[in-house]
């Protein structure tokens, strides 16, 4: 901050003070005092009017009769106006916060314009009253003592009031623009020779960091600026310049994230997800908008509808249940700031896990996905991450089923058959956990009944002796090998059935059964079976 930058502010202020004082000496103490009172009244009226207009800006009348027609004339694109109108129609909460932001952005200029208008009006009032009360004012001047000092004091009051109002837009906009451009520059989105960066260094920083601006904010200007730029976000009062940094950082992170394909995401990109989550946590504005958008987006996607033109992403049938569950989770947590923040962090951790195991690269390759998802480490890590977040726990069975759904897809099972398979696995896993602690004979009897019911439901008829073989093997290979208190998972049960099938095929082949001699490929799954109980 150079001395010349400070002079840009100080010289006009001193000039205004000197002119006001000299003029006061010419017109007398009574008129100077009266004019100062009118200036103070103009400033107070400007602030009150600004607050009232901000409230009007948040009404439907303003949106329909002024805001949207104004956009139609200035933007000229019907699609843009329609999109903004649709966005404002998302929810009452969204309307409140977006219109609150618009009001906060316009408030400094509204206040300044109102002050100028009221000043002109009060000049007319001042001129009329001065003419009518000229004699009385002269007599008052004759009786007054210490006139020069008192005129000096009132001149100082006028100057301070005028500066207080004129500095509102200077303080608010210089701080906001400096924050935005500094954030953009810090994220490497401006070149060193860009005009925007020159604007920051040569214009905005000298204004924003000037001694006069800093002093103004310290002695009450900041409080005044906050008074006219405050707004509510879902019941939380906040201010324009308290939100600018978080919003800009959020926007930069989102921009960086959109430049990376999902398959190419690394641990560095997953950190961006955490930064986005932190930005929403630290901003009442962002947390409200993000919650409302995610809630409305999930609501539309649950009904297979597009939200503001954004349709649910098309994914392989393999991932449909996972995506549907994820949509349900975000729908439930969208309007809970703490839960939504935790969900974003969990999602970032999952992406980090997937990236570290090179799984993201193989999302469109079922064979490679089978191998990596059934390899054990990735599933275990993701399960631990998801289980740490109560809201995300419903994703655990979907993740553990991914590998088996990939196998089902490879074997040519229909979606209906794959769904039956998932239900079967879930129900039987629950039955196994239920029989823990029973006597062996009771365990086998209960499991026989539950298995028979599940097989029948799945359209499979199986002999009772075969059921006893299944039940006994499950209890020996699964329950008896689990650590005390540890719950069985669907992944454990899936591995059991694959192992059991492989054993049966090998026995039949060893016995020379001709029906099995032409079966190809099933042996390839041996290397993909989780090491159950290891």
């Amino acid at each position: 901050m150079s001395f010349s930058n400070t002079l840009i502010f100080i010289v006009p202020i001193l000039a205004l003070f000197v002119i006001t004082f000299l003029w006061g000496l010419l017109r007398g103490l009574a008129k100077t005092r009266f004019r100062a009172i009118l200036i103070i009244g103009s400033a107070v009226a400007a602030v009150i009017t600004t607050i009232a207009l901000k409230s009007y800006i948040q009404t439907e009348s303003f949106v329909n009769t002024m805001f949207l027609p104004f956009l139609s004339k200035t933007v000229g694109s019907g699609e843009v106006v329609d999109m903004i109108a649709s966005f404002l129609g998302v929810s009452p909460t969204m309307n409140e916060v977006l219109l609150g932001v618009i009001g906060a952005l316009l408030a400094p200029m509204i206040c300044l314009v109102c002050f100028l208008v009221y000043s002109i009006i009060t000049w007319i009032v001042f001129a009329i009253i001065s003419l009518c009360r000229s004699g009385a004012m002269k007599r008052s001047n004759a009786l007054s003592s210490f006139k020069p000092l008192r005129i000096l004091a009132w001149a100082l009051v006028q100057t301070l009031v005028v500066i207080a109002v004129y500095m509102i837009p200077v303080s608010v906009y210089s701080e906001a623009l400096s924050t935005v451009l500094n954030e953009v520059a810090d994220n490497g989105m401006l070149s060193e020779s860009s005009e925007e960066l020159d604007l920051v260094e040569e214009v905005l920083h000298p204004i924003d960091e000037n001694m006069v601006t800093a002093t103004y904010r310290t002695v009450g200007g900041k409080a005044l600026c906050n008074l006219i730029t405050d707004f509510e976000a879902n019941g939380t009062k906040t201010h324009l310049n308290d939100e600018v940094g978080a919003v800009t950082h959020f926007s930069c992170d989102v921009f960086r994230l959109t430049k990376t394909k999902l398959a190419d995401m690394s641990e560095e990109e997953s950190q961006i997800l955490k930064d986005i989550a932190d930005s929403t946590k630290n901003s009442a504005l962002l947390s409200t908008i993000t919650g409302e958008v995610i809630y409305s987006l999930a609501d539309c996607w649950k009904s297979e509808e597009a939200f503001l033109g954004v349709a649910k992403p098309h994914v392989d049938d393999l991932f449909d249940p996972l995506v549907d569950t994820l949509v349900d989770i975000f729908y439930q947590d969208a309007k809970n700031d703490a839960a939504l923040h935790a969900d974003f962090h969990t999602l970032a951790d999952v992406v980090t896990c997937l990236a570290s195991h090179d799984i993201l690269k193989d999302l469109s390759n079922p064979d490679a996905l089978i191998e990596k998802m059934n390899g054990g480490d990735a599933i275990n890590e993701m399960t631990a991450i998801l289980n740490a977040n109560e809201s995300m726990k419903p994703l655990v069975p979907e993740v553990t089923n991914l590998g088996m759904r990939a196998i089902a897809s490879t074997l040519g099972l229909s979606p209906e058959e794959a769904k039956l398979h998932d239900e079967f696995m879930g129900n039987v896993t629950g039955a196994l956990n239920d029989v823990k602690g029973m006597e062996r004979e009771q365990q086998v009897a209960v499991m026989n009944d539950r298995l028979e019911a599940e097989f029948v439901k799945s359209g499979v008829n199986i002999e009772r002796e075969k059921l006893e073989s299944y039940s006994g093997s499950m209890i020996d290979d699964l329950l008896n090998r689990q650590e005390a208190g540890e719950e069985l998972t669907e992944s454990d049960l899936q591995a059991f059935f694959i192992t059991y099938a492989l054993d049966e095929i090998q026995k039949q082949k060893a016995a020379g059964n001709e029906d099995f001699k032409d079966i190809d490929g099933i042996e390839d799954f041996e290397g993909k079976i989780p090491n159950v109980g290891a």
Side-chain angles (χ1 to χ4, degrees):
M1 179 175 60
S2 66
F3 182 68
S4 59
N5 291 333
T6 304
L7 285 178
I8 294 174
F9 282 84
I10 291 179
V11 170
I13 293 173
L14 289 177
L16 175 64
F17 172 66
V18 170
I19 292 171
T20 303
F21 173 62
L22 293 176
W23 201 350
L25 290 176
L26 290 174
R27 64 189 178 190
L29 175 60
K31 289 184 179 180
T32 301
R33 181 174 55 218
F34 181 45
R35 182 61 196 152
I37 292 171
L38 290 177
I39 288 291
I40 294 171
S42 297
V44 173
V47 172
I48 294 173
T49 304
T50 301
I51 294 173
L53 287 175
K54 275 173 54 190
S55 298
Y56 171 67
I57 286 173
Q58 292 181 286
T59 63
E60 289 187 20
S61 174
F62 168 78
V63 174
N64 296 326
T65 62
M66 297 186 68
F67 181 59
L68 293 179
F70 172 77
L71 283 181
S72 298
K73 292 179 181 178
T74 54
V75 177
S77 173
E79 292 183 1
V80 174
V81 177
D82 290 342
M83 183 183 71
I84 294 174
S86 299
F87 207 72
L88 286 171
V90 168
S91 71
T93 302
M94 181 72 85
N95 271 17
E96 177 189 47
V97 69
L98 289 179
L99 295 175
V101 172
I102 293 172
L105 283 168
L106 297 175
M109 290 307 302
I110 291 175
C111 187
L112 180 59
V113 170
C114 288
F115 180 70
L116 290 173
V117 170
Y118 292 145
S119 294
I120 293 171
I121 293 172
T122 56
W123 267 116
I124 298 172
V125 172
F126 173 77
I128 294 172
I129 293 178
S130 294
L131 288 173
C132 296
R133 301 282 298 169
S134 179
M137 287 182 174
K138 287 181 179 178
R139 287 192 295 274
S140 177
N141 287 335
L143 297 173
S144 299
S145 57
F146 304 108
K147 283 187 289 186
L149 289 177
R150 294 168 72 180
I151 290 173
L152 182 70
W154 283 111
L156 180 61
V157 169
Q158 287 188 62
T159 303
L160 291 176
V161 171
V162 171
I163 295 303
V165 175
Y166 274 79
M167 284 295 294
I168 290 174
V170 173
S171 177
V172 171
Y173 295 141
S174 67
E175 182 179 353
L177 287 172
S178 291
T179 301
V180 169
L181 292 177
N182 283 340
E183 191 70 46
V184 171
D186 290 343
N187 280 276
M189 298 170 68
L190 290 179
S191 65
E192 294 184 0
S193 59
S194 68
E195 294 181 1
E196 292 87 353
L197 202 57
D198 291 339
L199 175 67
V200 174
E201 297 296 335
E202 297 176 11
V203 180
L204 288 178
H205 279 170
I207 294 175
D208 186 44
E209 300 173 0
N210 193 279
M211 182 183 70
V212 175
T213 308
T215 303
Y216 170 77
R217 291 169 179 158
T218 302
V219 299
K222 181 73 172 178
L224 179 60
C225 291
N226 285 344
L227 175 65
I228 68 167
T229 62
D230 68 356
F231 60 95
E232 282 197 1
N234 202 19
T236 301
K237 182 167 285 189
T238 186
H239 310 98
L240 179 65
N241 279 334
D242 290 340
E243 300 288 344
V244 169
V247 171
T248 308
H249 192 80
F250 174 87
S251 302
C252 290
D253 285 338
V254 170
F255 179 79
R256 288 162 57 200
L257 201 61
T258 57
K259 295 297 182 181
T260 305
K261 293 181 179 179
L262 182 61
D264 297 330
M265 287 189 71
S266 63
E267 295 183 35
E268 182 180 349
E269 278 77 28
S270 66
Q271 180 59 44
I272 297 177
L273 283 173
K274 294 183 181 180
D275 292 339
I276 290 174
D278 290 337
S279 294
T280 59
K281 180 182 179 182
N282 299 327
S283 166
L285 170 62
L286 279 177
S287 62
T288 301
I289 291 180
T290 304
E292 290 297 318
V293 169
I294 289 177
Y295 181 85
S296 300
L297 185 74
D299 189 34
C300 290
W301 284 2
K302 281 164 64 70
S303 305
E304 300 298 328
E305 298 175 357
F307 171 72
L308 299 181
V310 180
K312 181 181 175 182
H314 175 72
V315 296
D316 192 280
D317 291 341
L318 188 68
F319 302 103
D320 260 339
L322 180 65
V323 172
D324 290 341
T325 303
L326 191 61
V327 169
D328 285 337
I329 290 170
F330 276 102
Y331 177 78
Q332 296 296 329
D333 290 350
K335 297 194 177 185
N336 183 326
D337 293 346
L340 189 60
H341 176 255
D343 290 348
F344 274 124
H345 264 270
T346 300
L347 195 60
D349 289 335
V350 169
V351 171
T352 301
C353 175
L354 292 172
S356 66
H357 289 279
D358 290 329
I359 291 175
L360 292 175
K361 298 176 182 178
D362 299 317
L363 292 180
S364 59
N365 185 341
D367 292 334
L369 189 64
I370 292 170
E371 184 172 355
K372 290 178 178 177
M373 293 298 284
N374 279 342
D377 290 342
I379 289 290
N380 292 338
E381 286 181 28
M382 279 190 283
T383 299
I385 291 168
L386 295 171
N387 275 327
N389 181 343
E390 195 65 34
S391 295
M392 287 290 190
K393 282 185 177 180
L395 281 176
V396 172
E398 300 302 337
V399 170
T400 56
N401 283 338
L402 268 181
M404 285 307 298
R405 278 200 292 272
I407 292 174
S409 175
T410 303
L411 293 176
L413 295 181
S414 68
E416 291 76 17
E417 291 170 328
K419 183 179 180 182
L420 284 172
H421 167 272
D422 290 348
E423 291 176 355
F424 178 89
M425 289 294 174
N427 293 338
V428 174
T429 301
L432 278 165
N433 285 315
D434 290 342
V435 302
K436 281 184 178 181
M438 295 181 183
E439 295 295 330
R440 168 61 184 255
E441 186 176 340
Q442 187 181 10
Q443 284 180 330
V444 173
V446 171
M447 284 306 303
N448 282 343
D449 293 339
R450 295 287 288 271
L451 274 173
E452 184 174 30
E454 292 303 324
F455 274 122
V456 170
K457 188 191 300 182
S458 300
V460 177
N461 294 317
I462 191 166
E463 296 177 0
R464 188 77 178 182
E465 291 121 355
K466 196 68 173 176
L467 285 176
E468 290 180 3
S469 175
Y470 274 125
S471 298
S473 297
M474 284 180 180
I475 292 166
D476 291 336
D477 293 347
L478 294 175
L479 285 187
N480 293 341
R481 293 170 62 181
Q482 291 294 108
E483 295 181 8
E486 185 177 344
E487 289 286 301
L488 282 168
T489 67
E490 292 178 38
S491 178
D492 298 326
L493 189 62
Q494 290 161 352
F496 165 81
F497 274 115
I498 296 174
T499 305
Y500 196 96
L502 286 170
D503 289 343
E504 288 295 315
I505 289 170
Q506 294 300 330
K507 288 176 184 178
Q508 294 294 335
K509 283 190 171 184
N513 190 330
E514 293 294 318
D515 293 334
F516 289 87
K517 70 175 184 177
D518 295 328
I519 294 180
D520 296 319
I522 191 67
E523 294 88 353
D524 295 338
F525 291 130
E526 283 187 275
K528 304 174 177 64
I529 301 170
N531 191 6
V532 181

